[in-house]
């Protein structure tokens, strides 16, 4: 008779302890879950455009001289482009074109990269900005720095007497970024017979007049990288890249020319202007 109440008392104690433990657990859970983190918003773009159809045929005719004169099948092949090999077309796509003309070879490529952040505390846009910033840094540029290569500033300090002429050479370059692709010959020679800003000259002149730089009014952030090269006794090869970010998509446009003769110098101004014009068209198409 005395044993049964003992068992009942033990059972009551067990139930009470369990209830207390559950209460503590619930309390701890509620405290831990109270400072909830709101997930960062997703990026604007969930898909990417078909890259080989992103550039209108009329634009390709302008960027690839000589392609329009090719026979029908060859012309279609050039304008059709070659899609980049990719394993996830929702994340990265690209296309390239190439045209061989008697005077020079022109090549064009575009790449779209849709950036996705798998960290709920970091938005797709912020992650894309990090990807873009790495490309900008690799090009030797910085959004917070004054555009222009450092060696140009050093040269100005050493050659102060030529600073006025250097400034005159840069003013047309800045205006040319939004003006026509072909500078006026009369305008380049009206004041000085030594002004070769609009005509092929030494390899140093185009580099100084058209430096790599940060671009304004193109996507959320953009830069241009100018890469003129001279490969020994072969013809000069001039390449221009325009990279811009819009929301969570990073776009790269590469445009290059390889002259047929070693005496020919690519027109860096034209390459830059046409690459920028195409980049702006792509940015407008993405925003539609």
């Amino acid at each position: 008779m005395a044993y049964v109440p003992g068992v009942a008392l033990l059972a009551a104690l067990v139930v009470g302890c369990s209830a207390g433990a559950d209460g503590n657990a619930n309390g701890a859970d509620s405290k831990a879950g109270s400072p909830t983190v709101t997930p960062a918003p997703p990026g604007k773009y969930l898909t990417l455009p078909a890259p080989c159809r992103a550039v209108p045929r009329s634009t390709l005719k302008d960027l690839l001289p000589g392609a329009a004169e090719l026979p029908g099948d060859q012309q279609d092949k050039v304008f059709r482009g070659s899609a980049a090999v990719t394993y996830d077309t929702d994340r990265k796509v690209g296309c390239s074109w190439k045209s061989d003309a008697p005077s020079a070879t022109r090549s064009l490529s575009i790449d779209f990269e849709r950036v996705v952040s798998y960290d709920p505390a970091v938005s797709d846009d912020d992650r894309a900005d990090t990807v873009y910033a790495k490309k900008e840094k690799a090009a030797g540029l910085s959004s917070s720095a004054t555009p222009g290569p450092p060696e140009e500033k050093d040269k100005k300090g050493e050659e102060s007497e030529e600073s006025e002429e250097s400034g005159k050479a840069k003013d047309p370059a800045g205006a040319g970024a939004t003006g026509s692709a072909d500078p006026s010959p009369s305008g380049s020679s009206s004041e000085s017979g030594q002004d070769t800003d609009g005509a092929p000259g030494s390899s140093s002149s185009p580099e100084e007049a058209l430096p790599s730089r940060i671009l304004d009014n193109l996507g959320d952030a953009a830069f241009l990288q100018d890469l003129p090269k001279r490969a020994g006794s072969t013809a000069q090869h001039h390449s221009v890249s325009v990279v811009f970010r819009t929301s969570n998509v990073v776009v790269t446009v590469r445009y290059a020319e390889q002259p047929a003769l070693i005496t020919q110098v690519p027109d860096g101004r034209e390459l830059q202007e046409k690459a920028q014009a195409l980049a702006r068209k792509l940015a407008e198409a993405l925003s539609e």
Side-chain angles (χ1 to χ4, degrees):
M1 296 296 292
Y3 177 74
V4 174
V7 173
L9 178 60
L10 180 61
L13 291 173
V14 172
V15 171
C17 293
S18 299
D22 291 340
N24 291 337
N26 292 334
D29 289 343
S30 62
K31 290 181 181 179
S34 56
T36 56
V37 178
T38 303
K44 177 180 179 180
Y45 302 101
L46 302 179
T47 60
L48 292 172
C52 292
R53 294 199 297 268
V55 184
R57 194 181 184 95
S58 58
T59 302
L60 289 174
K61 288 182 179 180
D62 179 54
L63 295 173
L64 304 172
E69 285 71 38
L70 294 173
D73 293 343
Q74 297 182 27
Q75 182 180 141
D76 290 340
K77 183 178 180 180
V78 170
F79 290 142
R80 191 182 309 124
S82 177
V85 177
T86 178
Y87 300 98
D88 188 351
T89 54
D90 285 335
R91 295 290 302 277
K92 192 170 184 179
V93 295
C95 191
S96 60
W97 299 262
K98 185 177 181 181
S99 174
D100 294 319
S103 59
T105 295
R106 294 281 183 101
S107 60
L108 169 70
S109 69
I110 58 174
D111 293 292
F112 297 89
E113 181 179 358
R114 186 176 69 91
V115 182
V116 177
S117 172
Y118 293 101
D119 185 347
V122 179
S123 69
D124 292 347
D125 284 19
D126 289 342
R127 176 59 183 159
D129 188 52
T130 300
V131 172
Y132 165 83
K134 289 181 179 179
K135 294 179 181 291
E136 186 181 90
K137 184 178 180 180
L141 300 170
S142 175
S143 299
S144 60
T146 302
E151 60 269 21
E152 185 178 348
K153 297 180 181 179
D154 296 338
K155 186 174 181 179
K156 286 183 180 180
E158 297 175 0
E159 301 177 3
S160 58
E161 295 180 356
E162 298 180 3
S163 59
E164 294 183 0
E165 295 181 3
S166 176
K168 291 179 181 179
K170 287 185 177 183
D171 288 340
T178 55
S180 61
D182 297 322
S184 172
S186 59
S188 62
S189 59
S190 59
E191 296 182 359
S192 173
Q194 296 180 351
D195 187 356
T196 58
D197 191 35
S202 64
S203 59
S204 60
S205 179
E207 291 177 13
E208 293 179 0
L210 301 167
S212 300
R213 59 194 180 276
I214 303 298
L215 299 177
D216 296 326
N217 303 319
L218 176 56
D220 296 317
F223 71 86
L224 181 149
Q225 186 176 21
D226 189 78
L227 297 172
K229 295 181 180 179
R230 184 189 295 273
S233 60
T234 61
Q236 294 191 43
H237 176 271
H238 200 125
S239 176
V240 171
S241 294
V242 176
V243 181
F244 70 90
R245 178 184 73 84
T246 173
S247 185
N248 63 315
V249 170
V250 179
V251 182
T252 301
V253 176
R254 298 182 184 88
Y255 188 41
E257 178 182 349
Q258 177 77 44
L261 302 175
I262 61 175
T263 55
Q264 293 178 324
V265 179
D267 188 343
R269 179 190 296 275
E270 179 191 11
L271 294 175
Q272 284 199 16
E273 290 175 350
K274 290 187 174 182
Q276 289 184 77
L278 175 57
R280 296 186 189 283
K281 288 182 179 179
L282 295 177
E284 292 173 0
L286 283 171
S287 62
E288 292 178 354

